[in-house]
Amino acid sequence: EVQLVESGGGLVQTGGSLRLSCVASGFPFDEGSIGWFRQAPGKEREGISCLSARGGDTYYHGSVKGRFTISKDTAKETVYLQMDNLSPEDTAIYYCVADELLIPKSLCRTLYGLDYWGKGIQVTVSS
């Protein structure tokens, strides 16, 4: 059974940094993709950063490109999202998501029918 558990969220000031972690226990890191979605109050959920389970291919939404970095440690079954230069517009619930078939770009652009979702973690950026 695959379980995705996020950690590392919290409150940070504008311009600050946070690193989210997702422990993806049981996920086969030899195929598919894993990444991060977020949902801000009153807005649709959106995929912001995804990477291939094998590594080497990443996708970033335009709103976070250059500020967020996704990475993984397969031995620890963990995916990270380093978030720098945060702004109040980044305030949202962040979800770890994974799928055993999709490439990163497809994972980040798909809202429904994905294999696994975490419960989400709150990130709040104060002005």
Side-chain angles (χ1 to χ4, degrees):
E1 179 185 3
V2 175
Q3 286 190 323
L4 306 181
V5 180
E6 304 97 337
S7 63
L11 174 65
V12 65
Q13 292 186 328
T14 295
S17 298
L18 280 176
R19 188 177 80 157
L20 302 182
S21 299
C22 170
V23 178
S25 57
F27 184 75
F29 275 85
D30 58 350
E31 58 184 356
S33 298
I34 190 165
W36 295 90
F37 280 58
R38 69 183 180 187
Q39 186 165 21
K43 294 188 177 180
E44 277 196 346
R45 198 170 291 187
E46 61 180 1
I48 56 171
S49 185
C50 296
L51 86 166
S52 61
R54 293 182 180 180
D57 186 19
T58 58
Y59 169 86
Y60 292 95
H61 190 277
S63 64
V64 306
K65 194 175 293 185
R67 300 188 299 122
F68 291 10
T69 304
I70 192 170
S71 62
K72 69 181 181 71
D73 184 332
T74 302
K76 295 182 178 180
E77 297 184 303
T78 302
V79 176
Y80 304 99
L81 185 68
Q82 177 67 40
M83 306 186 294
D84 298 319
N85 193 22
L86 287 161
S87 72
E89 289 69 36
D90 295 313
T91 295
I93 298 174
Y94 285 69
Y95 299 88
C96 183
V97 183
D99 193 278
E100 296 186 26
L101 291 178
L102 297 177
I103 62 173
K105 185 176 182 178
S106 297
L107 173 63
C108 265
R109 292 187 172 189
T110 302
L111 282 178
Y112 304 103
L114 300 178
D115 288 339
Y116 312 108
W117 287 81
K119 293 183 178 181
I121 192 164
Q122 179 70 45
V123 171
T124 304
V125 185
S126 63
S127 57

